[in-house]
Amino acid sequence: MPADPRAVLTRPAPAPDATVAYGDHPEQVADLRRPAGDGPARPLVVVVHGGFWRAEYDRSHTGPMAAALAALGHPVAQVEYRRTGQPDGGWPHTLTDVLAGVAALPGLAAAAMPGRVAPVPPILVGHSAGGHLALYVAAHAPATVGGVLALAPVADLAEAYRLDLDSGAVAALLGGGPADVPDRYAAADPSVLVPIRIRSVVVHGTQDRQVPVGMSRSWVAAARASGAPATLIELPECEHFGLIAPDSAAWPRVVDALRSLHYDLQGIDAASPTR
């Protein structure tokens, strides 16, 4: 019997090297992972976890991917945020927490890992609802973001509401549907926020049953039509969870996509022999 793709949600990972607070709320924290080896400073990678913004899913399920990225030489921060089902979760704090975390974490990580974090904006790696949050931050605070790797992102909140993804997850986040709280959708929905001028790579499996791949196709098409630097990578045999599982067939494609953003940010030709 094939392994359950959801197993990654409960898979153990090595403990982080440190946990730092970017605010006063208990959920305003991030786990830091030191890059392996003694290589040069690299841009911080901020992992934004998914789970449809719900309290039952926290940053712990991104531990295996964060540890794998650190093993490749990247300094990594797994940002936490208030989620629906918690006091103060949902609109606006879920979104503003991630904005605050992304702004603060490069400095906090550089202090905790001297000489290992390059003094450039971080690369955001967001999965599912975390992909939505990464695109939201890139739209609202582009100076704090060096690039976005969105893995199966919820890139159209109005469509996700219409499809009733995860049984009302978007309504729980924003407090209703587009007709109820249109100003919130206007502020939070990546499909409305195009063009996002930050370099974005979207990776989505065509077998995804949690977030339809058509959502990424539409968002990238609109972004490119607006002149935004966006790329879509479709993985024909991949479902939703393989994108965050370091032992999956999809993982090398995720790493390649992150590497392309890293080289863009460092001003290095990804095709050069230094790769």
Side-chain angles (χ1 to χ4, degrees), residues 44-87:
L44 181 68
V45 174
V46 178
V47 174
V48 190
H49 72 82
F52 283 107
W53 312 279
R54 298 191 188 276
E56 55 262 42
Y57 301 100
D58 64 14
R59 67 191 184 282
S60 62
H61 75 262
T62 59
M65 73 175 295
L69 293 174
L72 293 172
H74 299 282
V76 182
Q78 295 165 254
V79 66
E80 193 55 273
Y81 50 88
R82 283 172 280 187
R83 304 176 301 287
T84 61
Q86 298 176 316

Side-chain angles (χ1 to χ4, degrees), residues 13-39:
D17 294 300
T19 299
V20 295
Y22 64 86
D24 296 330
H25 193 279
E27 298 293 336
Q28 292 176 324
V29 296
D31 291 338
L32 302 182
R33 296 182 185 271
R34 185 180 302 277
D38 297 315

Side-chain angles (χ1 to χ4, degrees), residues 13-273:
D17 294 300
T19 299
V20 295
Y22 64 86
D24 296 330
H25 193 279
E27 298 293 336
Q28 292 176 324
V29 296
D31 291 338
L32 302 182
R33 296 182 185 271
R34 185 180 302 277
D38 297 315
R42 288 186 175 186
L44 181 68
V45 174
V46 178
V47 174
V48 190
H49 72 82
F52 283 107
W53 312 279
R54 298 191 188 276
E56 55 262 42
Y57 301 100
D58 64 14
R59 67 191 184 282
S60 62
H61 75 262
T62 59
M65 73 175 295
L69 293 174
L72 293 172
H74 299 282
V76 182
Q78 295 165 254
V79 66
E80 193 55 273
Y81 50 88
R82 283 172 280 187
R83 304 176 301 287
T84 61
Q86 298 176 316
D88 298 324
W91 177 269
H93 297 114
T94 294
L95 294 93
T96 57
D97 279 359
V98 182
L99 276 171
V102 169
L105 280 170
L108 294 170
M113 299 181 283
R116 303 311 306 272
V117 180
V120 296
I123 297 171
L124 309 187
V125 179
H127 175 242
S128 194
H132 156 258
L133 292 168
L135 292 172
Y136 169 85
V137 173
H140 284 276
T144 70
V145 180
V148 173
L149 175 54
L151 307 174
V154 186
D156 187 331
L157 295 186
E159 177 69 0
Y161 174 84
R162 187 186 71 80
L163 295 173
D164 196 29
L165 296 191
D166 204 56
S167 303
V170 179
L173 173 70
L174 296 184
D180 306 310
V181 286
D183 291 350
R184 297 181 182 184
Y185 280 81
D189 192 340
S191 69
V192 179
L193 299 173
V194 170
I196 294 174
R197 296 300 183 187
I198 300 301
R199 174 90 169 92
S200 302
V201 178
V202 179
V203 183
H204 211 130
T206 62
Q207 305 302 312
D208 196 320
R209 296 185 178 182
Q210 279 69 35
V211 180
V213 66
M215 199 172 288
S216 287
R217 290 170 180 161
S218 296
W219 186 85
V220 170
R224 291 178 66 85
S226 73
T231 302
L232 174 62
I233 299 171
E234 293 189 29
L235 303 183
E237 301 300 325
C238 184
E239 42 65 61
H240 191 64
F241 301 100
L243 298 173
I244 61 169
D247 59 352
S248 73
W251 183 248
R253 300 294 301 277
V254 172
V255 171
D256 284 346
L258 176 62
R259 185 178 291 120
S260 73
L261 288 168
H262 167 252
Y263 283 125
D264 284 350
L265 191 55
Q266 296 285 71
I268 301 170
D269 181 0
S272 74

